[in-house]
Amino acid sequence: MSEQPRRIGILTGGGDCPGLNAVIRAVAKAALAGGLEVLGIEDGYLGLIEDRIRPLSYADVSGILTRGGTILGSNNRANPSDYAVPDGSGGWVRRDVRDQVVENYHDAGLDVLVVIGGDGTMSGAAKLIERGLNIVGVPKTIDNDLWATEITFGHDTAVATATDALDKIHTTASSHHRVMVMELMGRNAGWLTLRAAMASGTDVILIPEIPFRMEVVAEKCLARSRKGKGFTIVAVGEGAAAVGGEQTVDKVIETSPEPVRLGGVSHHVADAIEKITGLESRAMILGHVQRGGSPTARDRVLATAFGYHAFELLVAGRFGHVVVEQAGAITSVPIAEVADRVRTVPPDDPLIAAARATGACFGDETECLDTPHNRPDAQPSAT
Ligand code: F6P
């Protein structure tokens, strides 16, 4: 298509997160003001498969900046090139339903589609681009694991929610002289756990990128007891695993393109700490509360800036690109570049060094126990 698009579609795919509505608002308001028509697709790619597409007016996207969730609905089980349909005998079979999607896209008169989503949504987009659809991507996820962007909106709000929960667990841990193990989301990336744990001054941080040794974690708890700290807080990412061990799977969702749902590692960690140390321990899984609520100011600004950049890309006919932030600037890269890749925490990330230097233990090396932070004569730390 050479001339400027006249009708655009917007969908939100994958797990929801705070800031989705802010992006919808930014794209739609800029487009409507520019004289374009805007259609909303319900429930991510599912609405495109099932032809659930409706016009969005200025009134539809007004007053939604601060609202969590998505006015369009979302779905993390519908990748058009790998879509699960009933096999007729109680099971499921995978089908490529892209022809149906292409037909619905053209029937709706769409010139371009803005897909707001994470790695799964961008992988789905790459497969639709192969079939000739014009797509512009906007990266979202609380996990902050999308390749090529330093930040995704939704992450900051999730970090704030998780930090608040860790702060609150400090007081009850202190009252009962317990070890409290809090499990946070993030799949195979530890960004959410790392940032929330650092913000809360958490003693032990277990992330998927750094396999931990249970005896090191237990010794850290005992070291804190020896120096008179009657409690320990452990933050564990849902994808974390012990050295040589496996991730803990909560459930397998057959119909999902990424069927594994992680969850439960905090219970293993708390049980093991209690067994090894004799210290009373409790586990809690913070769960989907991390995806809820009103976006932080930072996420509202980021979502609006990302949404506006997506509008600029589509007006310029720069299809097949996803908005990213690199070196603090908003730009874009080809969607194909981010599809099927995730950005995890590099072991040499400066945040890890800062956390270690301020007394956090990642459970990976005994050296972290032989630091001034853990010796009985050390001054009490802030937390
Ligand atoms: O990717 C976002 C996320 O919240 C992950 O952190 C988590 O592992 C997963 O989605 C949970 O998925 P569901 O909503 O299907 O349980």
Side-chain angles (χ1 to χ4, degrees):
M1 199 196 66
S2 50
E3 72 267 27
Q4 189 174 312
R6 291 179 45 246
R7 187 178 283 177
I8 70 166
I10 307 177
L11 67 78
T12 50
D16 71 340
C17 76
L20 288 168
N21 283 326
V23 180
I24 296 169
R25 169 184 174 271
V27 176
K29 280 194 169 183
L32 290 166
L36 277 64
E37 281 180 76
V38 182
L39 303 184
I41 291 116
E42 294 173 0
D43 299 334
Y45 290 130
L46 192 60
L48 210 47
I49 295 166
E50 296 176 349
D51 199 17
R52 289 189 281 115
I53 303 174
R54 59 180 156 94
L56 288 181
S57 69
Y58 200 88
D60 290 323
V61 298
S62 181
I64 62 170
L65 173 63
T66 63
R67 256 162 68 185
T70 158
I71 59 164
L72 296 174
S74 196
N75 185 292
N76 61 6
R77 283 165 311 184
N79 180 344
S81 63
D82 187 27
Y83 183 55
V85 293
D87 67 0
S89 51
W92 299 90
V93 62
R94 302 283 182 166
R95 293 258 188 274
D96 184 341
V97 295
R98 283 180 291 174
D99 286 346
Q100 205 171 316
V101 164
V102 172
E103 195 180 311
N104 291 339
Y105 171 97
H106 289 304
D107 285 354
L110 290 173
D111 296 317
V112 55
L113 187 63
V114 176
V115 301
I116 310 167
D119 55 328
T121 305
M122 295 310 149
S123 303
K127 296 281 183 193
L128 292 174
I129 291 167
E130 284 172 11
R131 289 295 182 91
L133 295 202
N134 294 327
I135 295 186
V136 169
V138 183
K140 67 88 227 189
T141 167
I142 63 164
D143 305 338
N144 196 35
D145 63 350
L146 204 88
W147 187 258
T149 187
E150 282 155 9
I151 194 75
T152 53
F153 69 88
H155 180 64
D156 188 60
T157 310
V159 169
T161 300
T163 301
D164 185 46
L166 285 166
D167 287 351
K168 286 186 170 138
I169 220 76
H170 265 85
T171 58
T172 174
S174 169
S175 307
H176 287 268
H177 319 297
R178 283 174 174 160
V179 177
M180 298 296 296
V181 183
M182 183 173 297
E183 179 172 327
L184 301 174
M185 281 184 164
R187 290 200 296 175
N188 298 315
W191 295 110
L192 174 52
T193 300
L194 177 61
R195 290 206 166 106
M198 285 181 74
S200 188
T202 298
D203 313 298
V204 179
I205 306 174
L206 306 179
I207 59 174
E209 295 84 348
I210 304 179
F212 60 88
R213 294 188 182 281
M214 210 51 246
E215 61 279 13
V216 177
V217 175
E219 186 50 41
K220 171 74 179 182
C221 300
L222 289 171
R224 280 179 57 81
S225 289
R226 281 196 295 272
K227 71 172 195 176
K229 288 296 218 176
F231 69 96
T232 298
I233 308 294
V234 180
V236 57
E238 61 184 0
V243 174
E246 307 230 311
Q247 291 180 317
T248 310
V249 174
D250 175 34
K251 60 170 76 166
V252 175
I253 301 171
E254 233 187 303
T255 55
S256 176
E258 292 171 273
V260 172
R261 294 295 181 277
L262 298 167
V265 63
S266 54
H267 289 282
H268 299 313
V269 171
D271 288 351
I273 290 173
E274 190 164 287
K275 200 162 159 216
I276 299 171
T277 65
L279 298 168
E280 192 179 24
S281 306
R282 293 283 188 276
M284 70 161 291
I285 301 177
L286 193 56
H288 289 79
V289 70
Q290 292 160 100
R291 294 223 306 246
S294 178
T296 57
R298 183 166 188 222
D299 273 340
R300 293 176 200 180
V301 172
L302 187 65
T304 302
F306 273 9
Y308 178 64
H309 195 74
F311 167 74
E312 288 185 311
L313 288 175
L314 68 87
V315 166
R318 296 199 61 205
F319 306 132
H321 275 65
V322 55
V323 179
V324 294
E325 183 174 302
Q326 292 183 343
I330 294 180
T331 178
S332 67
V333 298
I335 289 177
E337 206 178 286
V338 307
D340 301 319
R341 293 173 91 175
V342 289
R343 194 179 68 93
T344 53
V345 181
D348 61 350
D349 192 274
L351 288 182
I352 292 181
R356 286 194 202 277
T358 45
C361 171
F362 286 80
D364 61 329
E365 53 191 14
T366 45
E367 294 92 78
C368 77
L369 300 170
D370 187 28
T371 66
H373 305 294
N374 296 314
R375 291 187 200 123
D377 58 349
Q379 293 300 307
S381 60
T383 59

PDB file of all heavy atoms in Angstrom, residues 3-26:
ATOM      1  N   GLU A   3      -0.350   4.707  -0.540  1.00  0.00           N
ATOM      2  CA  GLU A   3      -0.900   5.916   0.087  1.00  0.00           C
ATOM      3  C   GLU A   3      -1.099   5.715   1.597  1.00  0.00           C
ATOM      4  O   GLU A   3      -1.017   4.599   2.107  1.00  0.00           O
ATOM      5  CB  GLU A   3      -2.201   6.357  -0.599  1.00  0.00           C
ATOM      6  CG  GLU A   3      -3.399   5.500  -0.346  1.00  0.00           C
ATOM      7  CD  GLU A   3      -3.577   4.414  -1.413  1.00  0.00           C
ATOM      8  OE1 GLU A   3      -2.580   3.984  -2.023  1.00  0.00           O
ATOM      9  OE2 GLU A   3      -4.712   3.990  -1.596  1.00  0.00           O
ATOM     10  N   GLN A   4      -1.367   6.821   2.266  1.00  0.00           N
ATOM     11  CA  GLN A   4      -1.510   6.799   3.721  1.00  0.00           C
ATOM     12  C   GLN A   4      -2.709   5.945   4.144  1.00  0.00           C
ATOM     13  O   GLN A   4      -3.753   5.987   3.494  1.00  0.00           O
ATOM     14  CB  GLN A   4      -1.711   8.238   4.201  1.00  0.00           C
ATOM     15  CG  GLN A   4      -1.642   8.342   5.718  1.00  0.00           C
ATOM     16  CD  GLN A   4      -1.700   9.786   6.152  1.00  0.00           C
ATOM     17  OE1 GLN A   4      -0.992  10.623   5.633  1.00  0.00           O
ATOM     18  NE2 GLN A   4      -2.560  10.066   7.124  1.00  0.00           N
ATOM     19  N   PRO A   5      -2.580   5.171   5.238  1.00  0.00           N
ATOM     20  CA  PRO A   5      -3.706   4.349   5.684  1.00  0.00           C
ATOM     21  C   PRO A   5      -4.912   5.196   6.067  1.00  0.00           C
ATOM     22  O   PRO A   5      -4.763   6.303   6.589  1.00  0.00           O
ATOM     23  CB  PRO A   5      -3.151   3.609   6.899  1.00  0.00           C
ATOM     24  CG  PRO A   5      -1.868   4.221   7.238  1.00  0.00           C
ATOM     25  CD  PRO A   5      -1.396   5.016   6.077  1.00  0.00           C
ATOM     26  N   ARG A   6      -6.103   4.644   5.797  1.00  0.00           N
ATOM     27  CA  ARG A   6      -7.327   5.375   6.156  1.00  0.00           C
ATOM     28  C   ARG A   6      -8.054   4.705   7.307  1.00  0.00           C
ATOM     29  O   ARG A   6      -8.750   5.328   8.069  1.00  0.00           O
ATOM     30  CB  ARG A   6      -8.243   5.478   4.927  1.00  0.00           C
ATOM     31  CG  ARG A   6      -7.653   6.402   3.847  1.00  0.00           C
ATOM     32  CD  ARG A   6      -8.505   6.512   2.602  1.00  0.00           C
ATOM     33  NE  ARG A   6      -9.899   6.695   2.918  1.00  0.00           N
ATOM     34  CZ  ARG A   6     -10.849   5.789   2.648  1.00  0.00           C
ATOM     35  NH1 ARG A   6     -10.524   4.651   2.061  1.00  0.00           N
ATOM     36  NH2 ARG A   6     -12.100   6.020   2.958  1.00  0.00           N
ATOM     37  N   ARG A   7      -7.906   3.392   7.400  1.00  0.00           N
ATOM     38  CA  ARG A   7      -8.602   2.673   8.479  1.00  0.00           C
ATOM     39  C   ARG A   7      -7.615   1.768   9.226  1.00  0.00           C
ATOM     40  O   ARG A   7      -6.982   0.911   8.604  1.00  0.00           O
ATOM     41  CB  ARG A   7      -9.732   1.836   7.879  1.00  0.00           C
ATOM     42  CG  ARG A   7     -10.594   1.194   8.939  1.00  0.00           C
ATOM     43  CD  ARG A   7     -11.717   0.429   8.319  1.00  0.00           C
ATOM     44  NE  ARG A   7     -12.784   1.290   7.841  1.00  0.00           N
ATOM     45  CZ  ARG A   7     -13.866   0.837   7.202  1.00  0.00           C
ATOM     46  NH1 ARG A   7     -14.007  -0.432   6.971  1.00  0.00           N
ATOM     47  NH2 ARG A   7     -14.800   1.679   6.819  1.00  0.00           N
ATOM     48  N   ILE A   8      -7.532   1.966  10.533  1.00  0.00           N
ATOM     49  CA  ILE A   8      -6.574   1.166  11.309  1.00  0.00           C
ATOM     50  C   ILE A   8      -7.317   0.303  12.330  1.00  0.00           C
ATOM     51  O   ILE A   8      -8.396   0.670  12.801  1.00  0.00           O
ATOM     52  CB  ILE A   8      -5.528   2.045  12.028  1.00  0.00           C
ATOM     53  CG1 ILE A   8      -6.165   2.844  13.182  1.00  0.00           C
ATOM     54  CG2 ILE A   8      -4.842   3.000  11.068  1.00  0.00           C
ATOM     55  CD1 ILE A   8      -5.141   3.464  14.120  1.00  0.00           C
ATOM     56  N   GLY A   9      -6.731  -0.831  12.642  1.00  0.00           N
ATOM     57  CA  GLY A   9      -7.276  -1.700  13.693  1.00  0.00           C
ATOM     58  C   GLY A   9      -6.312  -1.736  14.862  1.00  0.00           C
ATOM     59  O   GLY A   9      -5.104  -1.544  14.683  1.00  0.00           O
ATOM     60  N   ILE A  10      -6.857  -1.948  16.055  1.00  0.00           N
ATOM     61  CA  ILE A  10      -6.002  -2.055  17.248  1.00  0.00           C
ATOM     62  C   ILE A  10      -6.407  -3.319  17.993  1.00  0.00           C
ATOM     63  O   ILE A  10      -7.606  -3.587  18.184  1.00  0.00           O
ATOM     64  CB  ILE A  10      -6.186  -0.863  18.209  1.00  0.00           C
ATOM     65  CG1 ILE A  10      -5.995   0.472  17.476  1.00  0.00           C
ATOM     66  CG2 ILE A  10      -5.223  -0.952  19.396  1.00  0.00           C
ATOM     67  CD1 ILE A  10      -6.228   1.702  18.371  1.00  0.00           C
ATOM     68  N   LEU A  11      -5.410  -4.099  18.440  1.00  0.00           N
ATOM     69  CA  LEU A  11      -5.721  -5.230  19.327  1.00  0.00           C
ATOM     70  C   LEU A  11      -4.693  -5.311  20.438  1.00  0.00           C
ATOM     71  O   LEU A  11      -3.554  -4.860  20.304  1.00  0.00           O
ATOM     72  CB  LEU A  11      -5.808  -6.549  18.546  1.00  0.00           C
ATOM     73  CG  LEU A  11      -4.580  -7.185  17.884  1.00  0.00           C
ATOM     74  CD1 LEU A  11      -3.684  -7.898  18.885  1.00  0.00           C
ATOM     75  CD2 LEU A  11      -5.042  -8.181  16.826  1.00  0.00           C
ATOM     76  N   THR A  12      -5.137  -5.887  21.569  1.00  0.00           N
ATOM     77  CA  THR A  12      -4.233  -6.120  22.696  1.00  0.00           C
ATOM     78  C   THR A  12      -4.148  -7.637  22.914  1.00  0.00           C
ATOM     79  O   THR A  12      -5.163  -8.296  23.131  1.00  0.00           O
ATOM     80  CB  THR A  12      -4.740  -5.421  23.979  1.00  0.00           C
ATOM     81  OG1 THR A  12      -6.120  -5.743  24.209  1.00  0.00           O
ATOM     82  CG2 THR A  12      -4.620  -3.914  23.865  1.00  0.00           C
ATOM     83  N   GLY A  13      -2.929  -8.189  22.824  1.00  0.00           N
ATOM     84  CA  GLY A  13      -2.775  -9.640  22.925  1.00  0.00           C
ATOM     85  C   GLY A  13      -1.917 -10.049  24.114  1.00  0.00           C
ATOM     86  O   GLY A  13      -1.211  -9.235  24.700  1.00  0.00           O
ATOM     87  N   GLY A  14      -1.993 -11.330  24.473  1.00  0.00           N
ATOM     88  CA  GLY A  14      -1.188 -11.860  25.574  1.00  0.00           C
ATOM     89  C   GLY A  14      -1.766 -11.490  26.931  1.00  0.00           C
ATOM     90  O   GLY A  14      -2.887 -10.981  27.036  1.00  0.00           O
ATOM     91  N   GLY A  15      -0.981 -11.722  27.969  1.00  0.00           N
ATOM     92  CA  GLY A  15      -1.423 -11.369  29.322  1.00  0.00           C
ATOM     93  C   GLY A  15      -1.582  -9.862  29.432  1.00  0.00           C
ATOM     94  O   GLY A  15      -0.768  -9.118  28.901  1.00  0.00           O
ATOM     95  N   ASP A  16      -2.622  -9.420  30.099  1.00  0.00           N
ATOM     96  CA  ASP A  16      -2.838  -7.966  30.182  1.00  0.00           C
ATOM     97  C   ASP A  16      -1.819  -7.317  31.115  1.00  0.00           C
ATOM     98  O   ASP A  16      -1.065  -8.015  31.807  1.00  0.00           O
ATOM     99  CB  ASP A  16      -4.276  -7.647  30.633  1.00  0.00           C
ATOM    100  CG  ASP A  16      -4.519  -7.979  32.093  1.00  0.00           C
ATOM    101  OD1 ASP A  16      -3.743  -8.778  32.673  1.00  0.00           O
ATOM    102  OD2 ASP A  16      -5.482  -7.451  32.674  1.00  0.00           O
ATOM    103  N   CYS A  17      -1.776  -6.006  31.101  1.00  0.00           N
ATOM    104  CA  CYS A  17      -0.906  -5.290  32.031  1.00  0.00           C
ATOM    105  C   CYS A  17      -1.362  -3.835  32.107  1.00  0.00           C
ATOM    106  O   CYS A  17      -2.047  -3.353  31.197  1.00  0.00           O
ATOM    107  CB  CYS A  17       0.563  -5.379  31.616  1.00  0.00           C
ATOM    108  SG  CYS A  17       1.016  -4.343  30.241  1.00  0.00           S
ATOM    109  N   PRO A  18      -1.004  -3.135  33.163  1.00  0.00           N
ATOM    110  CA  PRO A  18      -1.401  -1.732  33.263  1.00  0.00           C
ATOM    111  C   PRO A  18      -0.753  -0.905  32.153  1.00  0.00           C
ATOM    112  O   PRO A  18       0.430  -1.079  31.862  1.00  0.00           O
ATOM    113  CB  PRO A  18      -0.861  -1.315  34.639  1.00  0.00           C
ATOM    114  CG  PRO A  18      -0.671  -2.597  35.389  1.00  0.00           C
ATOM    115  CD  PRO A  18      -0.278  -3.608  34.359  1.00  0.00           C
ATOM    116  N   GLY A  19      -1.534  -0.043  31.525  1.00  0.00           N
ATOM    117  CA  GLY A  19      -1.006   0.818  30.459  1.00  0.00           C
ATOM    118  C   GLY A  19      -1.561   0.467  29.087  1.00  0.00           C
ATOM    119  O   GLY A  19      -1.388   1.246  28.135  1.00  0.00           O
ATOM    120  N   LEU A  20      -2.232  -0.677  28.954  1.00  0.00           N
ATOM    121  CA  LEU A  20      -2.785  -1.047  27.642  1.00  0.00           C
ATOM    122  C   LEU A  20      -3.786   0.003  27.166  1.00  0.00           C
ATOM    123  O   LEU A  20      -3.777   0.419  26.006  1.00  0.00           O
ATOM    124  CB  LEU A  20      -3.468  -2.418  27.716  1.00  0.00           C
ATOM    125  CG  LEU A  20      -2.538  -3.631  27.842  1.00  0.00           C
ATOM    126  CD1 LEU A  20      -3.324  -4.885  28.192  1.00  0.00           C
ATOM    127  CD2 LEU A  20      -1.760  -3.859  26.551  1.00  0.00           C
ATOM    128  N   ASN A  21      -4.653   0.440  28.079  1.00  0.00           N
ATOM    129  CA  ASN A  21      -5.657   1.440  27.687  1.00  0.00           C
ATOM    130  C   ASN A  21      -5.005   2.767  27.300  1.00  0.00           C
ATOM    131  O   ASN A  21      -5.499   3.469  26.412  1.00  0.00           O
ATOM    132  CB  ASN A  21      -6.649   1.663  28.824  1.00  0.00           C
ATOM    133  CG  ASN A  21      -7.655   0.524  28.912  1.00  0.00           C
ATOM    134  OD1 ASN A  21      -8.039  -0.040  27.890  1.00  0.00           O
ATOM    135  ND2 ASN A  21      -8.075   0.182  30.133  1.00  0.00           N
ATOM    136  N   ALA A  22      -3.905   3.069  27.967  1.00  0.00           N
ATOM    137  CA  ALA A  22      -3.205   4.324  27.640  1.00  0.00           C
ATOM    138  C   ALA A  22      -2.665   4.272  26.213  1.00  0.00           C
ATOM    139  O   ALA A  22      -2.658   5.293  25.508  1.00  0.00           O
ATOM    140  CB  ALA A  22      -2.077   4.563  28.638  1.00  0.00           C
ATOM    141  N   VAL A  23      -2.213   3.094  25.767  1.00  0.00           N
ATOM    142  CA  VAL A  23      -1.722   2.971  24.382  1.00  0.00           C
ATOM    143  C   VAL A  23      -2.889   3.048  23.407  1.00  0.00           C
ATOM    144  O   VAL A  23      -2.824   3.767  22.396  1.00  0.00           O
ATOM    145  CB  VAL A  23      -0.948   1.646  24.160  1.00  0.00           C
ATOM    146  CG1 VAL A  23      -0.472   1.561  22.716  1.00  0.00           C
ATOM    147  CG2 VAL A  23       0.224   1.529  25.093  1.00  0.00           C
ATOM    148  N   ILE A  24      -3.969   2.326  23.720  1.00  0.00           N
ATOM    149  CA  ILE A  24      -5.152   2.358  22.837  1.00  0.00           C
ATOM    150  C   ILE A  24      -5.585   3.814  22.663  1.00  0.00           C
ATOM    151  O   ILE A  24      -5.850   4.285  21.550  1.00  0.00           O
ATOM    152  CB  ILE A  24      -6.310   1.527  23.444  1.00  0.00           C
ATOM    153  CG1 ILE A  24      -5.932   0.049  23.529  1.00  0.00           C
ATOM    154  CG2 ILE A  24      -7.598   1.718  22.641  1.00  0.00           C
ATOM    155  CD1 ILE A  24      -6.897  -0.800  24.358  1.00  0.00           C
ATOM    156  N   ARG A  25      -5.642   4.522  23.780  1.00  0.00           N
ATOM    157  CA  ARG A  25      -6.067   5.928  23.762  1.00  0.00           C
ATOM    158  C   ARG A  25      -5.138   6.779  22.887  1.00  0.00           C
ATOM    159  O   ARG A  25      -5.606   7.593  22.071  1.00  0.00           O
ATOM    160  CB  ARG A  25      -6.085   6.462  25.202  1.00  0.00           C
ATOM    161  CG  ARG A  25      -6.250   7.958  25.353  1.00  0.00           C
ATOM    162  CD  ARG A  25      -6.138   8.301  26.836  1.00  0.00           C
ATOM    163  NE  ARG A  25      -6.155   9.730  27.085  1.00  0.00           N
ATOM    164  CZ  ARG A  25      -5.079  10.498  27.103  1.00  0.00           C
ATOM    165  NH1 ARG A  25      -3.884   9.979  26.841  1.00  0.00           N
ATOM    166  NH2 ARG A  25      -5.183  11.790  27.358  1.00  0.00           N
ATOM    167  N   ALA A  26      -3.836   6.580  23.081  1.00  0.00           N
ATOM    168  CA  ALA A  26      -2.872   7.409  22.335  1.00  0.00           C
ATOM    169  C   ALA A  26      -2.970   7.155  20.832  1.00  0.00           C
ATOM    170  O   ALA A  26      -3.037   8.108  20.036  1.00  0.00           O
ATOM    171  CB  ALA A  26      -1.449   7.117  22.830  1.00  0.00           C
TER     172      ALA A  26
END
